[in-house]
Amino acid sequence: MPAYELYGQEEIDAVVDVLQRKIVHRYSSHEARGGIYRAKEFEDVVARAVGAKYCQAVSSGSAALYVALKALGVGPGDEVITSAFTFIASIEAILECGAVPVLADIDESLNLDPESAEDAISEKTKVIMPVHMYGAAADMERFRELCDLYGLYLLEDACQALGATYKGKGCGTLGDCGTYSLDPNKVISVGEGGLIVTDDEELYRRMEYYHDHGHIHDESIDRGAEGKACLGFNFRISEIQGALGLAQIKKLPRAIESLRSNKKRILEAVGDLDLVTLRDLPDRDGEIATQLVLLLPDEGSARAFQKASKEAGAGCSVLADNTWHYAKHWKTLREGTTYSRLRCPFDCVYAEDLPSYRPIEWVQTDDILSRAVMYGLNIVMGDEDVERMAKAIKAGLKVAY
Ligand SMILES: Cc1ncc(COP(=O)(O)O)c(C=O)c1O
C-alpha cells in the first residue's frame, strides 16, 4: 500500500513551487511569503477531512504520539496501556516520557482487547492507547466507556489508519486526540511526517507549543520576537512536507477506494472461506483494507497454509513471526537497552514494578497471532495480481486442516 504508488506530477509541482519561492520554514518570513502557508493549509485540510477541530503536523508518527503524550501531561510515575501488537514507536513514545508502557492482549480484531485493557488498569494508569492496526478501528465505544469510568485519557494510535472510520467517524477523532503517520509505508506520505488531531483547543495549543520549543506562534511579529509558553523540542515539518501533503491528501479517497476494491475482488475470487475467518472487526466497512488477514483454526494450519500459498505464487506471513509488530520479539524493550546510565522508567524511583515484557504475558495474543496469516495489499493491483493472490489463498485453504 505504499503511497508512492500514486505519486505523480501533482506532487512534483507542489514541491517545486515551494523551492522556487524559497520559503521552506513554516513559521518565518511572514512578509515575504505573501500569505502562503502550506503546512498550515495541509493541517486545515486534514482536520476537515477526518472531522476534527484542530490538527497539528509534526515530523513523524512517532513524534505525534510523543507530543500528544507530553501534552496530556504523561511523565514518570504514569502508566499507559497499549497493545502488545503494534509498532514499537507506540511503546517508545511512552518510554520517552519516562512513563511505563503496559502492554495488554489483543482480541480477534488484532486490536487491543478492551477486557484485557481493563484488567491492566491500576492507580497509576493515565492513558489508554488503542492502536488501529492495519487500518481497522479498535472497539472505540468500549474504550470510551472505560476511559470515562476510570477517568483516563483516550489517545488513538491511528498511525496506520488515516481515512479509516468507526461507525461513521474518522479513526483518530474518537478519543481525546489521535495520531497519524505519513511515513513512506502509509496510504499517503510526505516522506516522513505525522499528524495529531483533537477537538480540545487547550490540548491543541499545548501540542502546537511543545512541538516547536514552546513558541507562541504569531504571524504579526518576527519569529525571533515570539514568546514561549513552555519548554519543548523541534518536531516541526517544513513547507515542502506541507505542500506534498496537500497534493497527497487529495488522493486519499482514491487510494482507499482502490484498496477496498482490491480486497473485495480477492475475497470474491476465493469464495467460501469455510472454517477460516476474517478479523473480528467492530466496523468492517470502515477499514481501509491495507492488509488481508485470515484467522485459521490453529498454528499447524497456519504454517501449512503459508507454505502452500508461497508455492502457489503469493507469500504471506504468520503474524506471530512479525518482529516489526509483535512485542514478543523486542529484546531491546525486555532489556531496557538505552545509552544513558540511569533512565526513567527503567531505573526510576517512580516505576518500581516494571512489567517484564515477556511473551508469557500475552497468552491470548500469542494464540491469535500464531494462527493469523497476513498479505499486504497494494493500491494498484491488476487482475493478474488479484488472481495470483486468490489462487494462493485457495491453495492455502486446501491444506489448512
Ligand atoms: C502503529 C504505529 N504507530 C506509530 C508509528 C510511527 O510512525 P512513524 O514511522 O511515522 O514514526 C507507526 C509506523 O509505522 C505505526 O505503525
Side-chain angles (χ1 to χ4, degrees):
M1 62 50 245
Y4 62 73
E5 289 184 74
L6 298 187
Y7 276 1
Q9 197 57 45
E10 301 80 3
E11 284 77 7
I12 295 169
D13 291 345
V15 171
V16 167
D17 172 64
V18 174
L19 297 178
Q20 279 172 340
R21 286 185 295 102
K22 297 184 195 268
I23 295 179
V24 176
H25 200 295
R26 67 166 297 180
Y27 292 122
S28 73
S29 316
H30 298 301
E31 275 181 29
R33 61 199 303 152
I36 299 176
Y37 292 87
R38 295 296 185 226
K40 181 70 195 134
E41 263 181 75
F42 177 44
E43 289 166 344
D44 292 346
V45 172
V46 171
R48 275 200 302 279
V50 301
K53 281 196 186 148
Y54 307 99
C55 173
Q56 178 63 55
V58 290
S59 50
S60 66
S62 310
L65 289 168
Y66 177 62
V67 170
L69 288 164
K70 291 298 274 189
L72 290 171
V74 171
D78 295 328
E79 291 179 357
V80 178
I81 297 171
T82 189
S83 169
F85 185 59
T86 180
F87 181 54
I88 198 164
S90 321
I91 282 80
E92 288 169 329
I94 302 164
L95 293 171
E96 281 300 308
C97 294
V100 174
V102 177
L103 308 189
D105 271 313
I106 57 164
D107 57 25
E108 290 202 3
S109 68
L110 301 194
N111 292 325
L112 184 60
D113 176 4
E115 311 294 319
S116 178
E118 185 169 16
D119 287 347
I121 293 172
S122 78
E123 70 281 2
K124 293 182 180 170
T125 307
K126 189 151 189 171
V127 180
I128 298 186
M129 189 208 286
V131 185
H132 304 300
M133 279 301 278
Y134 298 158
D139 190 347
M140 291 309 293
E141 260 167 28
R142 283 287 292 123
F143 287 115
R144 186 73 271 172
E145 277 167 20
L146 279 183
C147 287
D148 289 347
L149 184 65
Y150 292 94
L152 306 173
Y153 290 117
L154 180 55
L155 164 58
E156 295 171 78
D157 181 341
C159 281
Q160 299 186 3
L162 177 58
T165 54
Y166 172 84
K167 303 194 177 172
K169 287 189 158 184
C171 283
T173 68
L174 299 134
D176 295 284
C177 56
T179 62
Y180 308 111
S181 163
L182 302 171
D183 79 20
N185 292 316
K186 300 300 181 288
V187 200
I188 66 164
S189 176
V190 299
E192 297 287 354
L195 300 158
I196 320 164
V197 290
T198 183
D199 283 346
D200 180 333
E201 184 176 2
E202 163 73 18
L203 191 57
Y204 163 67
R205 288 288 163 219
R206 287 183 181 203
M207 298 190 296
E208 186 201 350
Y209 303 145
Y210 191 84
H211 100 291
D212 182 28
H213 308 292
H215 276 263
I216 303 167
H217 302 117
D218 185 344
E219 289 167 21
S220 69
I221 54 174
D222 189 69
R223 176 160 169 83
E226 282 174 351
K228 290 188 183 66
C230 61
L231 291 171
F233 212 62
N234 176 7
F235 297 106
R236 289 187 308 270
I237 64 160
S238 73
E239 288 291 272
I240 297 176
Q241 288 149 305
L244 192 47
L246 278 167
Q248 277 277 281
I249 192 95
K250 288 195 189 126
K251 298 185 181 178
L252 183 64
R254 192 169 120 209
I256 294 175
E257 200 187 307
S258 188
L259 284 161
R260 285 179 178 155
S261 145
N262 294 342
K263 188 163 187 174
K264 193 161 169 259
R265 283 155 71 211
I266 294 164
L267 288 173
E268 278 171 3
V270 171
D272 192 5
L273 289 175
D274 203 1
L275 287 181
V276 171
T277 56
L278 298 170
R279 292 167 72 183
D280 184 16
L281 296 175
D283 184 349
R284 188 170 304 289
D285 294 338
E287 70 157 333
I288 57 172
T290 46
Q291 270 90 355
L292 193 163
V293 177
L294 298 171
L295 294 167
L296 288 112
D298 55 40
E299 181 173 4
S301 298
R303 298 280 168 204
F305 181 107
Q306 183 187 34
K307 187 164 174 286
S309 174
K310 189 170 178 215
E311 284 165 6
C316 61
S317 57
V318 175
L319 285 176
D321 300 339
N322 188 329
T323 55
W324 210 248
H325 289 144
Y326 184 16
K328 168 184 176 174
H329 300 288
W330 302 338
K331 189 161 169 270
T332 47
L333 176 63
R334 263 195 316 278
E335 296 180 358
T337 317
T338 56
Y339 293 117
S340 51
R341 194 171 57 86
L342 289 177
R343 186 157 183 196
C344 245
F346 294 106
D347 301 285
C348 181
V349 286
Y350 296 107
E352 284 149 5
D353 41 4
L354 203 64
S356 70
Y357 304 114
R358 294 215 179 81
I360 195 91
E361 293 179 31
W362 306 300
V363 175
Q364 184 172 304
T365 302
D366 219 52
D367 166 57
I368 295 166
L369 294 182
S370 64
R371 54 189 175 80
V373 296
M374 186 273 280
Y375 297 87
L377 302 182
N378 282 340
I379 298 171
V380 182
M381 289 182 81
D383 289 344
E384 261 179 37
D385 302 318
V386 168
E387 277 157 28
R388 188 172 46 81
M389 205 172 272
K391 189 173 141 238
I393 293 174
K394 280 190 198 165
L397 289 175
K398 262 193 206 147
V399 299
Y401 311 105

